[in-house]
Amino acid sequence: MGKYQLDDKGKAQVTRFHEKHSTGGVNKKDRITQLREQFLNKTKK
């Protein structure tokens, strides 16, 4: 086994980190359109 083996708590933290920082393939387009709409609304105000 590897030197950097994780226990259950460490595995949970790693999965939480990846969920938080991941950008989905299909979801990425939706995110871009959402950010664009927010930007346009800010510039109108």
Side-chain angles (χ1 to χ4, degrees), residues 1-2 6 8 14 17 19 22 26 33 36 38 41-42:
M1 293 294 175
L6 296 173
D8 291 333
V14 169
F17 174 83
E19 286 174 1
S22 69
V26 178
T33 55
R36 187 170 186 273
Q38 287 177 1
N41 287 337
K42 283 184 182 178

Side-chain angles (χ1 to χ4, degrees), residues 8-35:
D8 291 333
K9 187 177 179 183
K11 286 179 187 175
Q13 287 178 339
V14 169
T15 54
R16 199 178 307 124
F17 174 83
H18 285 294
E19 286 174 1
K20 188 177 181 182
H21 291 86
S22 69
T23 55
V26 178
N27 199 16
K28 193 172 186 181
K29 276 189 177 180
D30 297 336
R31 178 91 175 118
I32 290 171
T33 55
Q34 186 183 27
L35 286 172

